[in-house]
Amino acid sequence: MLQALAPAAVQHPCSSPSAAGSTTEAPWQRGSAPGPQEHPGTELPRLLQQCGLPLRRRLVHDGDVIYRSGDAFTDLHLLHAGIVKTVATSSDGREQVVGLHFKGDWLGFDGIAGRCYGCDAVALDTGEVWSVRYDTLIAAALDRPELLGLLHAAMSREIARDRASMLSLCTLSADARVADFLRQWVEALEQRGLRTDRITLCLSRAEIGNYLGMTLESVSRALSRLAKARVIRFAEKGRRHVEIPDPRALGACIERSLEPGTAVQ
Amino acid sequence: MLQALAPAAVQHPCSSPSAAGSTTEAPWQRGSAPGPQEHPGTELPRLLQQCGLPLRRRLVHDGDVIYRSGDAFTDLHLLHAGIVKTVATSSDGREQVVGLHFKGDWLGFDGIAGRCYGCDAVALDTGEVWSVRYDTLIAAALDRPELLGLLHAAMSREIARDRASMLSLCTLSADARVADFLRQWVEALEQRGLRTDRITLCLSRAEIGNYLGMTLESVSRALSRLAKARVIRFAEKGRRHVEIPDPRALGACIERSLEPGTAVQ
DNA sequence: CGCCACGTTGAGACCGGTCAAACCACGTGG
DNA sequence: CCACGTGGTTTGACCGGTCTCAACGTGGCG
């Protein structure tokens, strides 16, 4: 887990004097004008450092809590490495994994409106989180509109992603939901330029099931069926390592399961 | 529908010279410091007008499309009156109602990141939409951080609301989901200071079912059961008018259905 | 080794989907 | 005025996908 957490990444920022290349378009729009779904990648860390923002860096491990529902909202958190889940809890005690977050994602947007976080953020893996005070971040963004643009884009992506989850939850069968879950995971890796033929599910079956609105047994069965259909393959050691020879086969699998009377296999 | 759309509301803004009361707290935080879940209410329209932002006002009616998925993103839209649904469509044609929006909500946040809208926004009722160019809005917000704060709070609320939907979708039975749907609707009215003992569902059973991840028949059955349990009552004319004597009975109903082996009635 | 958490697989029950019929409100046109 | 068609809603009967419960397998660790 967490390849290449170089020691250099742990020392403090506040270096590299500002040298933002001028852009022809409005500064609060994304500087490099990438494709519609591409991930901003590495420009954000550089920008944060250029602004001289006081970041607090923190190494986290599996199970570490980054913030809890109800904690006073003061910071936004940039996930610099690792994987984090966000868990919502209703007043009557129901728990629900509502999001998975990868490198480059921001955490804590849901706390802005209510002045306190609305869910728990828990690390699923070794990783690193950069925390910035929200008010200093906004103060800096007022001087550097491109930073504001990146923030807005991140919030916008979060909203779009939540909607995609709802679509998946409401319109797909349990098996298809699992396939779609894998597809989304692969997509997240792809956008970050990581290898996509093999993924490590750092959640238990129970967590996956909770996220997808089904039981852990159904998740297990769905994965077994996908494996039997040769869409995925379990790596030799441990059933949390999944090989995905062709990611597009997952999509085909989902579409096939939409036709009535068609199971995965 | 749409009570009190005074003629005065249709004439153009750009009046009332700025006279923002100074606040003791940072300007990008919400000016009036209300409770954690209160709706900003009417301060936003005033602020938009103070900034002299060029708004385009548009009256909409049931079925009118405000924007479509794939349309180029240029504007954010403030729903000044009426009710709007947002509908996501997957590449393979599945449609999903992913949000309901009431007076004071912003529409179009999901278009910021990808430069085009990610879903359709369709009016469910007579109403009025104010459209502002996103870039002019941001330019204005850089001069008036309290406007930026309101925007961020709106995005934050949207994210929190989506998560609440996921929680409801994944953890509640069909009947409880319908009860929770009504509860949320009442809550939305409450936050806007409207009467909550009677609501008009301006969606068909099919739309409600789609939104809640169930069939229209199940919605109908759930409503019938709630009526039989005296938690709701259908008004004499039309089955889209629902009286809710005690909104808290809905919550009790949801909790009761969590205990195993307990249906609504 | 035993223990424990996690994962898999099977059998049966049940919730909610599917299909079908009937009802209702509303508008149109004879 | 009523006949008719239409779209939305309700209700019932049946079926199937998931959940529930249970047993078993597996890998890690003291």
PDB file of all heavy atoms in Angstrom, chain B residues 186-209:
ATOM      1  N   VAL B 186     -41.464  18.118   3.767  1.00  0.00           N
ATOM      2  CA  VAL B 186     -41.972  18.979   4.832  1.00  0.00           C
ATOM      3  C   VAL B 186     -40.844  19.840   5.381  1.00  0.00           C
ATOM      4  O   VAL B 186     -41.016  21.047   5.619  1.00  0.00           O
ATOM      5  CB  VAL B 186     -42.602  18.134   5.955  1.00  0.00           C
ATOM      6  CG1 VAL B 186     -42.825  18.969   7.209  1.00  0.00           C
ATOM      7  CG2 VAL B 186     -43.915  17.531   5.492  1.00  0.00           C
ATOM      8  N   GLU B 187     -39.702  19.228   5.567  1.00  0.00           N
ATOM      9  CA  GLU B 187     -38.554  19.962   6.101  1.00  0.00           C
ATOM     10  C   GLU B 187     -38.154  21.111   5.166  1.00  0.00           C
ATOM     11  O   GLU B 187     -37.837  22.211   5.617  1.00  0.00           O
ATOM     12  CB  GLU B 187     -37.376  18.991   6.238  1.00  0.00           C
ATOM     13  CG  GLU B 187     -36.305  19.416   7.188  1.00  0.00           C
ATOM     14  CD  GLU B 187     -35.301  18.283   7.366  1.00  0.00           C
ATOM     15  OE1 GLU B 187     -35.534  17.406   8.221  1.00  0.00           O
ATOM     16  OE2 GLU B 187     -34.308  18.259   6.630  1.00  0.00           O
ATOM     17  N   ALA B 188     -38.188  20.831   3.869  1.00  0.00           N
ATOM     18  CA  ALA B 188     -37.850  21.869   2.902  1.00  0.00           C
ATOM     19  C   ALA B 188     -38.829  23.033   2.998  1.00  0.00           C
ATOM     20  O   ALA B 188     -38.426  24.202   2.949  1.00  0.00           O
ATOM     21  CB  ALA B 188     -37.838  21.288   1.485  1.00  0.00           C
ATOM     22  N   LEU B 189     -40.091  22.717   3.153  1.00  0.00           N
ATOM     23  CA  LEU B 189     -41.093  23.783   3.286  1.00  0.00           C
ATOM     24  C   LEU B 189     -40.867  24.556   4.577  1.00  0.00           C
ATOM     25  O   LEU B 189     -40.947  25.787   4.615  1.00  0.00           O
ATOM     26  CB  LEU B 189     -42.497  23.183   3.279  1.00  0.00           C
ATOM     27  CG  LEU B 189     -42.942  22.489   1.987  1.00  0.00           C
ATOM     28  CD1 LEU B 189     -44.377  22.001   2.120  1.00  0.00           C
ATOM     29  CD2 LEU B 189     -42.810  23.411   0.786  1.00  0.00           C
ATOM     30  N   GLU B 190     -40.579  23.811   5.644  1.00  0.00           N
ATOM     31  CA  GLU B 190     -40.369  24.406   6.946  1.00  0.00           C
ATOM     32  C   GLU B 190     -39.222  25.431   6.903  1.00  0.00           C
ATOM     33  O   GLU B 190     -39.339  26.541   7.415  1.00  0.00           O
ATOM     34  CB  GLU B 190     -40.027  23.297   7.932  1.00  0.00           C
ATOM     35  CG  GLU B 190     -40.310  23.603   9.374  1.00  0.00           C
ATOM     36  CD  GLU B 190     -40.227  22.325  10.191  1.00  0.00           C
ATOM     37  OE1 GLU B 190     -39.299  21.522   9.947  1.00  0.00           O
ATOM     38  OE2 GLU B 190     -41.083  22.115  11.063  1.00  0.00           O
ATOM     39  N   GLN B 191     -38.111  25.018   6.277  1.00  0.00           N
ATOM     40  CA  GLN B 191     -36.947  25.901   6.217  1.00  0.00           C
ATOM     41  C   GLN B 191     -37.253  27.174   5.448  1.00  0.00           C
ATOM     42  O   GLN B 191     -36.555  28.174   5.591  1.00  0.00           O
ATOM     43  CB  GLN B 191     -35.775  25.176   5.556  1.00  0.00           C
ATOM     44  CG  GLN B 191     -35.153  24.125   6.455  1.00  0.00           C
ATOM     45  CD  GLN B 191     -34.223  23.210   5.683  1.00  0.00           C
ATOM     46  OE1 GLN B 191     -34.089  23.323   4.470  1.00  0.00           O
ATOM     47  NE2 GLN B 191     -33.571  22.310   6.391  1.00  0.00           N
ATOM     48  N   ARG B 192     -38.266  27.113   4.612  1.00  0.00           N
ATOM     49  CA  ARG B 192     -38.618  28.292   3.832  1.00  0.00           C
ATOM     50  C   ARG B 192     -39.801  29.040   4.442  1.00  0.00           C
ATOM     51  O   ARG B 192     -40.353  29.947   3.823  1.00  0.00           O
ATOM     52  CB  ARG B 192     -38.920  27.871   2.395  1.00  0.00           C
ATOM     53  CG  ARG B 192     -37.649  27.493   1.641  1.00  0.00           C
ATOM     54  CD  ARG B 192     -37.923  26.622   0.457  1.00  0.00           C
ATOM     55  NE  ARG B 192     -36.685  26.245  -0.204  1.00  0.00           N
ATOM     56  CZ  ARG B 192     -35.888  25.268   0.200  1.00  0.00           C
ATOM     57  NH1 ARG B 192     -36.190  24.551   1.253  1.00  0.00           N
ATOM     58  NH2 ARG B 192     -34.773  25.007  -0.463  1.00  0.00           N
ATOM     59  N   GLY B 193     -40.202  28.602   5.600  1.00  0.00           N
ATOM     60  CA  GLY B 193     -41.256  29.315   6.309  1.00  0.00           C
ATOM     61  C   GLY B 193     -42.642  29.092   5.735  1.00  0.00           C
ATOM     62  O   GLY B 193     -43.533  29.916   5.925  1.00  0.00           O
ATOM     63  N   LEU B 194     -42.840  27.986   5.030  1.00  0.00           N
ATOM     64  CA  LEU B 194     -44.148  27.726   4.442  1.00  0.00           C
ATOM     65  C   LEU B 194     -44.930  26.761   5.330  1.00  0.00           C
ATOM     66  O   LEU B 194     -44.374  26.106   6.214  1.00  0.00           O
ATOM     67  CB  LEU B 194     -43.963  27.121   3.042  1.00  0.00           C
ATOM     68  CG  LEU B 194     -43.135  27.995   2.090  1.00  0.00           C
ATOM     69  CD1 LEU B 194     -42.836  27.254   0.807  1.00  0.00           C
ATOM     70  CD2 LEU B 194     -43.855  29.300   1.804  1.00  0.00           C
ATOM     71  N   ARG B 195     -46.218  26.653   5.085  1.00  0.00           N
ATOM     72  CA  ARG B 195     -47.039  25.763   5.904  1.00  0.00           C
ATOM     73  C   ARG B 195     -46.684  24.314   5.591  1.00  0.00           C
ATOM     74  O   ARG B 195     -46.443  23.929   4.443  1.00  0.00           O
ATOM     75  CB  ARG B 195     -48.521  26.026   5.686  1.00  0.00           C
ATOM     76  CG  ARG B 195     -49.008  25.820   4.273  1.00  0.00           C
ATOM     77  CD  ARG B 195     -50.498  26.089   4.172  1.00  0.00           C
ATOM     78  NE  ARG B 195     -51.276  25.204   5.016  1.00  0.00           N
ATOM     79  CZ  ARG B 195     -52.602  25.148   4.989  1.00  0.00           C
ATOM     80  NH1 ARG B 195     -53.283  25.937   4.177  1.00  0.00           N
ATOM     81  NH2 ARG B 195     -53.241  24.317   5.774  1.00  0.00           N
ATOM     82  N   THR B 196     -46.655  23.529   6.643  1.00  0.00           N
ATOM     83  CA  THR B 196     -46.132  22.168   6.514  1.00  0.00           C
ATOM     84  C   THR B 196     -47.189  21.111   6.813  1.00  0.00           C
ATOM     85  O   THR B 196     -46.892  19.925   6.811  1.00  0.00           O
ATOM     86  CB  THR B 196     -44.967  21.948   7.489  1.00  0.00           C
ATOM     87  OG1 THR B 196     -45.446  22.140   8.824  1.00  0.00           O
ATOM     88  CG2 THR B 196     -43.844  22.908   7.223  1.00  0.00           C
ATOM     89  N   ASP B 197     -48.409  21.535   7.081  1.00  0.00           N
ATOM     90  CA  ASP B 197     -49.424  20.536   7.420  1.00  0.00           C
ATOM     91  C   ASP B 197     -50.077  19.966   6.173  1.00  0.00           C
ATOM     92  O   ASP B 197     -50.870  19.043   6.246  1.00  0.00           O
ATOM     93  CB  ASP B 197     -50.486  21.149   8.338  1.00  0.00           C
ATOM     94  CG  ASP B 197     -51.138  22.357   7.696  1.00  0.00           C
ATOM     95  OD1 ASP B 197     -50.516  22.963   6.791  1.00  0.00           O
ATOM     96  OD2 ASP B 197     -52.267  22.696   8.076  1.00  0.00           O
ATOM     97  N   ARG B 198     -49.720  20.506   5.034  1.00  0.00           N
ATOM     98  CA  ARG B 198     -50.353  20.079   3.797  1.00  0.00           C
ATOM     99  C   ARG B 198     -49.381  20.307   2.656  1.00  0.00           C
ATOM    100  O   ARG B 198     -48.877  21.408   2.478  1.00  0.00           O
ATOM    101  CB  ARG B 198     -51.612  20.907   3.581  1.00  0.00           C
ATOM    102  CG  ARG B 198     -52.399  20.474   2.396  1.00  0.00           C
ATOM    103  CD  ARG B 198     -53.775  21.099   2.445  1.00  0.00           C
ATOM    104  NE  ARG B 198     -54.550  20.665   1.312  1.00  0.00           N
ATOM    105  CZ  ARG B 198     -55.836  20.942   1.140  1.00  0.00           C
ATOM    106  NH1 ARG B 198     -56.449  21.661   2.029  1.00  0.00           N
ATOM    107  NH2 ARG B 198     -56.482  20.498   0.101  1.00  0.00           N
ATOM    108  N   ILE B 199     -49.102  19.273   1.891  1.00  0.00           N
ATOM    109  CA  ILE B 199     -48.184  19.441   0.781  1.00  0.00           C
ATOM    110  C   ILE B 199     -48.830  18.962  -0.507  1.00  0.00           C
ATOM    111  O   ILE B 199     -49.725  18.107  -0.488  1.00  0.00           O
ATOM    112  CB  ILE B 199     -46.857  18.689   1.013  1.00  0.00           C
ATOM    113  CG1 ILE B 199     -47.070  17.189   1.065  1.00  0.00           C
ATOM    114  CG2 ILE B 199     -46.194  19.170   2.274  1.00  0.00           C
ATOM    115  CD1 ILE B 199     -45.814  16.428   1.418  1.00  0.00           C
ATOM    116  N   THR B 200     -48.374  19.560  -1.593  1.00  0.00           N
ATOM    117  CA  THR B 200     -48.865  19.171  -2.906  1.00  0.00           C
ATOM    118  C   THR B 200     -47.730  18.503  -3.655  1.00  0.00           C
ATOM    119  O   THR B 200     -46.759  19.154  -4.039  1.00  0.00           O
ATOM    120  CB  THR B 200     -49.354  20.404  -3.676  1.00  0.00           C
ATOM    121  OG1 THR B 200     -50.428  20.995  -2.963  1.00  0.00           O
ATOM    122  CG2 THR B 200     -49.832  20.002  -5.060  1.00  0.00           C
ATOM    123  N   LEU B 201     -47.867  17.208  -3.829  1.00  0.00           N
ATOM    124  CA  LEU B 201     -46.850  16.452  -4.560  1.00  0.00           C
ATOM    125  C   LEU B 201     -47.026  16.753  -6.045  1.00  0.00           C
ATOM    126  O   LEU B 201     -47.962  16.287  -6.680  1.00  0.00           O
ATOM    127  CB  LEU B 201     -47.056  14.957  -4.316  1.00  0.00           C
ATOM    128  CG  LEU B 201     -46.292  14.276  -3.190  1.00  0.00           C
ATOM    129  CD1 LEU B 201     -45.811  15.238  -2.146  1.00  0.00           C
ATOM    130  CD2 LEU B 201     -47.131  13.177  -2.566  1.00  0.00           C
ATOM    131  N   CYS B 202     -46.104  17.536  -6.609  1.00  0.00           N
ATOM    132  CA  CYS B 202     -46.269  17.866  -8.015  1.00  0.00           C
ATOM    133  C   CYS B 202     -45.469  16.911  -8.891  1.00  0.00           C
ATOM    134  O   CYS B 202     -44.999  17.274  -9.961  1.00  0.00           O
ATOM    135  CB  CYS B 202     -45.882  19.327  -8.264  1.00  0.00           C
ATOM    136  SG  CYS B 202     -44.324  19.772  -7.546  1.00  0.00           S
ATOM    137  N   LEU B 203     -45.307  15.681  -8.409  1.00  0.00           N
ATOM    138  CA  LEU B 203     -44.709  14.639  -9.248  1.00  0.00           C
ATOM    139  C   LEU B 203     -45.704  13.489  -9.334  1.00  0.00           C
ATOM    140  O   LEU B 203     -46.511  13.278  -8.434  1.00  0.00           O
ATOM    141  CB  LEU B 203     -43.424  14.073  -8.654  1.00  0.00           C
ATOM    142  CG  LEU B 203     -42.317  14.933  -8.122  1.00  0.00           C
ATOM    143  CD1 LEU B 203     -42.537  15.254  -6.672  1.00  0.00           C
ATOM    144  CD2 LEU B 203     -40.994  14.234  -8.298  1.00  0.00           C
ATOM    145  N   SER B 204     -45.580  12.755 -10.407  1.00  0.00           N
ATOM    146  CA  SER B 204     -46.399  11.548 -10.533  1.00  0.00           C
ATOM    147  C   SER B 204     -45.821  10.462  -9.625  1.00  0.00           C
ATOM    148  O   SER B 204     -44.693  10.557  -9.153  1.00  0.00           O
ATOM    149  CB  SER B 204     -46.400  11.064 -11.977  1.00  0.00           C
ATOM    150  OG  SER B 204     -45.118  10.602 -12.320  1.00  0.00           O
ATOM    151  N   ARG B 205     -46.606   9.419  -9.390  1.00  0.00           N
ATOM    152  CA  ARG B 205     -46.111   8.278  -8.621  1.00  0.00           C
ATOM    153  C   ARG B 205     -44.871   7.687  -9.288  1.00  0.00           C
ATOM    154  O   ARG B 205     -43.938   7.245  -8.613  1.00  0.00           O
ATOM    155  CB  ARG B 205     -47.190   7.214  -8.517  1.00  0.00           C
ATOM    156  CG  ARG B 205     -48.472   7.679  -7.855  1.00  0.00           C
ATOM    157  CD  ARG B 205     -48.262   7.976  -6.401  1.00  0.00           C
ATOM    158  NE  ARG B 205     -49.525   8.215  -5.693  1.00  0.00           N
ATOM    159  CZ  ARG B 205     -49.949   9.395  -5.294  1.00  0.00           C
ATOM    160  NH1 ARG B 205     -49.219  10.476  -5.536  1.00  0.00           N
ATOM    161  NH2 ARG B 205     -51.093   9.520  -4.641  1.00  0.00           N
ATOM    162  N   ALA B 206     -44.875   7.705 -10.610  1.00  0.00           N
ATOM    163  CA  ALA B 206     -43.726   7.151 -11.332  1.00  0.00           C
ATOM    164  C   ALA B 206     -42.469   7.964 -11.047  1.00  0.00           C
ATOM    165  O   ALA B 206     -41.382   7.405 -10.842  1.00  0.00           O
ATOM    166  CB  ALA B 206     -44.003   7.117 -12.837  1.00  0.00           C
ATOM    167  N   GLU B 207     -42.605   9.276 -11.001  1.00  0.00           N
ATOM    168  CA  GLU B 207     -41.431  10.117 -10.729  1.00  0.00           C
ATOM    169  C   GLU B 207     -40.938   9.927  -9.296  1.00  0.00           C
ATOM    170  O   GLU B 207     -39.736   9.857  -9.046  1.00  0.00           O
ATOM    171  CB  GLU B 207     -41.768  11.588 -10.973  1.00  0.00           C
ATOM    172  CG  GLU B 207     -41.868  11.942 -12.447  1.00  0.00           C
ATOM    173  CD  GLU B 207     -42.411  13.343 -12.647  1.00  0.00           C
ATOM    174  OE1 GLU B 207     -43.480  13.681 -12.081  1.00  0.00           O
ATOM    175  OE2 GLU B 207     -41.787  14.112 -13.386  1.00  0.00           O
ATOM    176  N   ILE B 208     -41.892   9.844  -8.372  1.00  0.00           N
ATOM    177  CA  ILE B 208     -41.500   9.615  -6.976  1.00  0.00           C
ATOM    178  C   ILE B 208     -40.765   8.282  -6.872  1.00  0.00           C
ATOM    179  O   ILE B 208     -39.713   8.171  -6.240  1.00  0.00           O
ATOM    180  CB  ILE B 208     -42.738   9.625  -6.053  1.00  0.00           C
ATOM    181  CG1 ILE B 208     -43.396  11.000  -6.066  1.00  0.00           C
ATOM    182  CG2 ILE B 208     -42.346   9.240  -4.633  1.00  0.00           C
ATOM    183  CD1 ILE B 208     -44.729  11.039  -5.316  1.00  0.00           C
ATOM    184  N   GLY B 209     -41.355   7.261  -7.517  1.00  0.00           N
ATOM    185  CA  GLY B 209     -40.740   5.939  -7.480  1.00  0.00           C
ATOM    186  C   GLY B 209     -39.343   5.948  -8.064  1.00  0.00           C
ATOM    187  O   GLY B 209     -38.409   5.372  -7.495  1.00  0.00           O
TER     188      GLY B 209
END
